[in-house]
Amino acid sequence: MNAAEAPGWPEEFAARYREAGYWNGQTFGELLADRAHRSPDRVAVIDGTRRWTYRELDERANAIADGLAALGIRRGDKVVVQLPNIGEYYELLFALFRLGALPVFALPAHRFAEIGYFCEFTEAVAYVIADRHGGFRYTELADKVTAAVPGLRHVIVVGEAGPYLAYESLAAKRATGVLSGPSASDLAFLQLSGGSTGTPKLIPRTHDDYLYSVRESARICELTEDSIYLVVLPAAHNFPMSSPGSLGVFFAGGTVVLAPSPAPDVAFPLIESERVTITAVVPPLALAWLRAAETSENDLSSLRVLQVGGAKFSEEAARRVGPELGVTLQQVFGMAEGLVNYTRLDDSGDVLVSTQGRPISPDDEIRIVDDEDRDLPRGTEGNLLTRGPYTIRGYYRAAEHNASAFTEDGFYRTGDVVRMTEEGNLVVEGRAKDQINRGGEKVAAEEVENHLLANEAVHDVAVVSMPDDFLGERTCAFVIPASGAEPKPVTLRRFLRERGLADYKLPDRIRLVAEFPSTPVGKVSKAALRRAITEALRRKE
Ligand code: J2J
C-alpha cells in the first residue's frame, strides 16, 4: 500500500508502538487460528438455531478463503461487504483477513448512491450481499451496481443467488495457488467514516493497530471465555465490531450472538435464552429498551454490562440504566478513525452517568484546543484533537481532505467539542463538524446537499440538525427554490430516494425559504438556521 493511498504512522511512532507491545505482529487470521487451537469446541457464533464452534469458524474461514482465491481474489484486492447480522459475515471477514483482501464495510441501509460509490472508488473486485433482508432485495441493487461499475468482477450472494455466484459454492471451490497471507502492518480493511464531506471517506486500518484496540477493549470491558455478547447494531459498524464488539469476544474466546433486529421483542428473548452478558446500543435504543423493560416478562438477569455510545446519552436516561435494568452502564465515545473512550466498569456512579469516559491507551494523545489550535486549560470546552497507536494518520485516497482533517504533526481533528474533567474523563459537549448525528447514525450535511442540488427545482440548500427527544437530532433541509419553482418536500424526498440515497440520510423536514441568514463574513449561518428550526419546533410549526 503506498503512502499516498493510505498515509501510515511515521517510522519513529511505529517503532515506539511496537516497542511498547501495542503492535504485536499478529493478524486477525492468526488470532482466530490461535483461538481455534486453544478452545476448538467452544461456541464462537450463534445465529438463530445455527452455531459455529471456534474450530468450525476457523475451518469455514479457510474454505471460503480458498474459494475466493480460486475466483482470483488476491491480497490487497477490495471487496465491498454488505451483510445483515448473520453468521456468514464472520466466516467471510476472517476469510478476507486471511487472504489479505480488504473488506470495505457497507451498512445494510446503504443503497445505490453509497454502494456504487464504494465499488467505483475502491476499484472493488467483488460485492457480497444477502439475497434479501428487511424486505429489501439486495440482488436488485446489485443489478444496478454491476451495470454502473464494470470493474466489479463478482457479486457473491448468501441465499438465492439468481444470476450471481452463490456464497455456498465458494466453500466447495479449491484454490490452485498458495495463499500468501498479509503481514500485521498491512491494511486489514476500509471502514466507513461518519463523515462531514460531500463524498463518504474511507478509513484504512491495519491488523496491528486495530487488534491493539480490540485486545485492550476486551481487557477494559473484562471479557472472558464466559462472555456472551449480543450484536444488535449492524455487525460491520465499528462499535459492535471492536469496542470490544465481536472481535473482542473472539479474542477472549467468548460467544457472539447475532440479533436480526435491535427491537426489544427480538433482543430480549435472545438475552434470556442465550444468557447474554454484554451488549452495545445507541442512545435511542437504550431508551426503547428502558421503556420495554418496564413491562417485559423476559428474564434479563444474565446481562451485566450495557454499553451505550455512538451519540450523546443524556444524563437523565443514563441514571435510569443501572437501577431499571440491573446492569452496569458503560458509556463509549468512539470513532471509526481510531480513538475510543470508555467509562471503566468500576468507576463511580457519577462518572458513569455524566462522562463519556477516557481513552484506551496511555499513548492516546488528547488535545483540547480553540479554533486557532491553541491548547485550552483543563475543564474548558474546545475542539478535540487526537493522535495515537490506533488512530489513523489519513483517510484512504483523500490527500486533499487529509490536509485539513489532520494537523501537520498528525493529530486527527475529530470535529467533536469536548471538555476534560478533573479526573481525566471526557464529556462531549457538542460538535464542530458539519454532520447530523441521528441517534448514532451519521449524516454528512454536504453529501445530502450535493444530492439535493442536483434537482432542477433547487437553487440552493443547507442541511442542519434539529433537536429530537428520541433520536437526539434529526435532519432539516432548508431549500431556496429555483426561480419559479415550488418543489414539494415529498417530491424532493422521492428524488433523493430515486438517486439511491440511504433512507436514514433523507431529511426529516424540508423547509422552503427565500434566502439564508449569513455570518459576518458572508457564509451561510448554519447556527442561525439551527436556531430557526429549533424555535419553529418549539412553537409546533
Ligand atoms: C457523543 N458522541 C459520540 C458518545 C460517538 C465505539 C462507539 C461509537 C463509535 C462511533 C465507534 C459518542 N457521545 N458516546 O466507532 O468504536 C460521535 C462523535 C464521534 C462520532 C464517531 C466505536 N460516541 N460519538 O460512533 O465513526 O461525534 O463511531 O466523532 O460512527 O460519533 O462516529 P462513528
Side-chain angles (χ1 to χ4, degrees), residues 32-297:
L32 178 63
D34 178 51
R35 255 303 146 201
H37 179 69
R38 285 199 281 160
S39 38
D41 298 318
R42 291 192 78 93
V43 176
V45 177
I46 299 178
D47 169 3
T49 54
R50 301 187 299 161
R51 270 149 211 264
W52 287 251
T53 62
Y54 276 94
R55 184 197 287 118
E56 285 163 345
L57 182 59
D58 184 59
E59 286 172 0
R60 284 282 294 182
N62 280 339
I64 300 292
D66 276 348
L68 294 168
L71 291 179
I73 296 177
R74 297 279 174 267
R75 185 172 173 177
D77 283 345
K78 318 295 183 300
V79 175
V80 174
V81 176
Q82 186 183 32
L83 289 176
N85 290 0
I86 54 175
E88 286 82 354
Y89 172 73
Y90 297 113
E91 300 177 352
L92 177 71
L93 190 62
F94 284 103
L96 292 168
F97 285 159
R98 284 200 172 147
L99 276 179
L102 309 187
V104 180
F105 293 120
L107 296 171
H110 287 144
R111 294 295 178 259
F112 177 72
E114 292 88 10
I115 303 294
Y117 176 77
F118 300 148
C119 289
E120 179 103 49
F121 183 68
T122 66
E123 299 170 75
V125 298
Y127 170 40
V128 188
I129 51 177
D131 53 356
R132 56 188 307 162
H133 174 73
F136 182 74
R137 277 180 204 281
Y138 288 89
T139 43
E140 286 176 11
L141 175 53
D143 294 344
K144 290 196 194 131
V145 174
T146 47
V149 189
L152 189 66
R153 295 206 303 266
H154 309 282
V155 173
I156 300 166
V157 186
V158 179
E160 291 282 320
Y164 301 116
L165 188 66
Y167 174 85
E168 239 352 275
S169 70
L170 287 180
K173 286 203 169 74
R174 276 291 165 265
T176 43
V178 180
L179 298 183
S180 76
S183 67
S185 56
D186 285 349
L187 294 187
F189 57 83
L190 296 175
Q191 182 58 286
L192 277 190
S193 161
S196 57
T197 52
T199 49
K201 293 288 170 284
L202 295 172
I203 297 168
R205 301 287 299 260
T206 64
H207 291 265
D208 263 335
D209 88 80
Y210 205 63
L211 195 38
Y212 167 57
S213 76
V214 163
R215 281 196 315 271
E216 284 304 294
S217 295
R219 191 181 57 73
I220 289 167
C221 301
E222 300 176 16
L223 296 187
T224 68
E225 283 202 337
D226 297 321
S227 298
I228 303 177
Y229 177 97
L230 187 69
V231 186
V232 288
L233 300 173
H237 187 270
N238 202 56
F239 185 9
M241 194 153 69
S242 68
S243 299
S246 50
L247 293 177
V249 173
F250 296 143
F251 167 73
T255 302
V256 167
V257 180
L258 288 154
S261 145
D265 60 339
V266 175
F268 286 8
L270 277 173
I271 294 175
E272 174 174 326
S273 63
E274 304 298 350
R275 307 297 296 158
V276 169
T277 61
I278 173 170
T279 185
V281 298
V282 288
L285 260 180
L287 291 175
W289 283 22
L290 280 167
R291 188 177 321 139
E294 287 169 10
T295 52
S296 168
E297 308 225 309

Side-chain angles (χ1 to χ4, degrees), residues 279-461:
T279 185
V281 298
V282 288
L285 260 180
L287 291 175
W289 283 22
L290 280 167
R291 188 177 321 139
E294 287 169 10
T295 52
S296 168
E297 308 225 309
N298 288 116
D299 174 8
L300 305 180
S301 62
S302 58
L303 196 62
R304 275 182 241 137
V305 177
L306 181 69
Q307 301 184 292
V308 181
K312 178 79 183 232
F313 195 34
S314 77
E315 184 168 336
E316 187 195 350
R319 283 200 187 280
R320 294 175 53 200
V321 169
E324 293 183 31
L325 296 176
V327 299
T328 300
L329 167 68
Q330 181 177 50
Q331 298 216 37
V332 189
F333 163 39
M335 53 206 75
E337 284 82 355
L339 181 71
V340 181
N341 304 278
Y342 295 100
T343 55
R344 304 309 198 255
L345 301 183
D346 59 358
D347 278 345
S348 75
D350 274 343
V351 168
L352 294 184
V353 299
S354 64
T355 83
Q356 280 66 58
R358 49 195 180 279
I360 290 180
S361 173
D363 273 314
D364 279 321
E365 299 174 64
I366 299 288
R367 290 182 63 200
I368 298 173
V369 301
D370 67 12
D371 289 342
E372 271 77 51
D373 285 355
R374 288 176 300 221
D375 290 287
L376 293 164
R378 169 84 59 114
T380 312
E381 74 176 55
N383 303 310
L384 170 65
L385 311 184
T386 186
R387 185 169 81 169
Y390 60 97
T391 296
I392 56 162
R393 293 300 187 110
Y395 292 101
Y396 176 72
R397 291 188 181 169
E400 198 180 320
H401 178 62
N402 287 339
S404 59
F406 295 81
T407 64
E408 259 172 37
D409 54 355
F411 279 83
Y412 166 54
R413 299 181 188 277
T414 66
D416 292 312
V417 174
V418 305
R419 83 184 146 80
M420 189 181 276
T421 63
E422 278 307 316
E423 75 281 8
N425 288 298
L426 296 175
V427 178
V428 182
E429 299 285 6
R431 190 176 329 117
K433 55 191 164 190
D434 201 6
Q435 180 189 78
I436 294 92
N437 189 333
R438 220 170 156 278
E441 289 187 310
K442 317 301 186 314
V443 181
E446 191 184 340
E447 186 184 0
V448 182
E449 288 163 1
N450 285 347
H451 282 283
L452 277 169
L453 282 171
N455 187 296
E456 289 181 337
V458 173
H459 170 68
D460 204 356
V461 56

